[in-house]
Every structure is written in C-alpha cells, then in structure tokens.
Amino acid sequence: MDIKDTAEAWPVRERRTPFRGAKTSVSSDDVVMPDGSVARRDYQVHPGSVCVLALDGEGRVLVLRQYRHPVRQKLWELPAGLLDVPGENPLHAAQRELYEEAHAKAEDWRVLIDLYATPGGSDEAIRIFLARDLSEAEGERFEVSEEEADMEFARVPLAELVRGVLAGELHNVALVTGVLALSAVLAGDGVESLRPALAPWPARPYEG
C-alpha cells in the first residue's frame, strides 16, 4: 500500500456561506456520501499560512510569545502569517513574516513540512520553512499593533522546545510540528534531505 494523501472531492449538492470575515469565512456544504446520503459539513475557509522555524548557528530556535484570544493563553510560537494574496509565493510570505515579526533575515531556506491544521473543521494549509544563516534585517523595525504589540521574543535550544512539547507545556500546532519534524530530520537524513524552498505545494498552488 502506498501510504500518502491523495486528492479527492466528493460531490457537493449545495453550498452556503453563513459568515464572511476579514480574512476567513465559514462554508456550509451538503456533501453526497458514498452511500448516496447527504450530510452537512461546516468548516472554516482559510487562505493558508506560512511559518518559519529560524535556527541560529548555536542550535537555538527563534520563538515569540503572543496572546491568542480563542484559547485564552499566551502561546510560544514560530514567526508566522497568512497568505493574504491568492497565489502568493509562500517563500516570499515567510521571508516577509520573519522580517516583520522578528526583524531578521536568513540566507538558507528549505521546506521543513506541510500540514493541514485541523482538516476536520478548516481547510487551512500551513507550510513550515526551515531558515538558517540568520542575521538582523536592515532598516527600521516593522511597526506592530494589537496582540503583536505585546509580543516577547527568545532564542531557545531545539532540545528544550522538544522537551516542552512532550511535557505538555507548548501547544501551538506549528511550533509542535516544526520542532518535532526538525528533531527527526537531524536524527535521520539531515537538513540536506529537505525539499527546496520553492518546492510545489498542491494545497496552495503558486507561481515561483
């Protein structure tokens, strides 16, 4: 058996959009099941996200702490942001987020992992990049507001983040996935085995 996800779309008899927000919406689909019955599936329609696991020369990961109102917690996270423009190159978006949130840049970029955040309730696709050879960005810092105005920053050894994930102390899905993926890569075939930064992304097609 070939263990990999495959594209498939079941027929939709009717689609409604009961809510439209600034960046996301809710879709309510009447989906035809294999036995011919129809079931309603409500889910968030999301533009997609990019995330950056920025690793410095000392094996530390650049992380930030931000308030997340839906879960009423301040979470340690990786720099991340939405794909605001349809068809936007995810590498360019990731480079922008690293600059805006951490005022940093990187010379070496690779795709670390692709995932769906919550495929039972959202179509959000996330691409996590590994960024290395870090340095401070030129020019003035990007002006932040709202939750981002209260962000804290740290550089934490990868092993300490893995320990925190397994201890149930860190919960952000991209941080959890990213640090465990990088740990597996370093214990296995190494960074050189990762896909290039402009690797195709069927979940969010783009032009290089």
Side-chain angles (χ1 to χ4, degrees):
M1 183 180 295
D2 195 8
I3 305 298
K4 66 178 182 180
D5 300 335
T6 56
E8 184 167 320
W10 291 359
V12 175
R13 184 162 294 174
E14 184 178 359
R15 171 168 293 152
R16 295 166 294 279
T17 305
F19 171 79
R20 291 186 186 275
K23 300 292 184 181
T24 67
S25 61
V26 172
S27 185
S28 184
D29 294 357
D30 291 339
V31 184
V32 180
M33 300 289 115
D35 64 359
S37 64
V38 177
R40 179 168 296 177
R41 295 291 177 259
D42 302 322
Y43 58 97
Q44 180 193 37
V45 179
H46 193 285
S49 305
V50 290
C51 191
V52 184
L53 196 161
L55 187 70
D56 69 16
E58 299 178 39
R60 301 174 302 175
V61 179
L62 195 161
V63 292
L64 54 91
R65 190 170 181 236
Q66 185 172 351
Y67 177 66
R68 293 301 188 183
H69 186 71
V71 296
R72 309 300 198 272
Q73 289 193 23
K74 275 192 169 182
L75 301 181
W76 285 103
E77 305 179 353
L78 304 175
L82 299 177
L83 290 167
D84 293 314
V85 180
E88 183 177 17
N89 186 309
L91 174 61
H92 298 166
Q95 292 169 332
R96 180 188 67 233
E97 293 301 331
L98 184 62
Y99 161 70
E100 291 183 356
E101 294 196 342
H103 198 65
K105 63 180 182 179
E107 298 301 321
D108 185 78
W109 291 82
R110 300 165 194 268
V111 174
L112 178 58
I113 199 165
D114 296 329
L115 69 146
Y116 290 111
T118 51
S122 172
D123 70 349
E124 180 183 5
I126 303 175
R127 169 159 281 190
I128 304 177
F129 290 91
L130 173 64
R132 300 186 301 166
D133 297 337
L134 305 181
S135 61
E136 185 173 354
E138 296 90 0
E140 297 183 2
R141 286 186 171 272
F142 183 78
E143 186 175 346
V144 295
S145 61
E146 300 174 345
E147 289 92 344
E148 292 183 348
D150 190 45
M151 286 194 302
E152 305 167 54
F153 298 88
R155 294 194 181 203
V156 182
L158 176 65
E160 177 61 18
L161 292 175
V162 171
R163 185 208 63 78
V165 168
L166 298 178
E169 299 168 354
L170 300 170
H171 306 92
N172 176 270
V173 64
L175 183 142
V176 169
T177 306
V179 300
L180 294 181
L182 180 58
S183 180
V185 167
L186 296 177
D189 294 333
V191 171
E192 298 302 322
S193 68
L194 292 173
R195 288 170 289 162
L198 293 176
W201 190 14
R204 292 295 183 272
Y206 66 95
E207 294 186 10

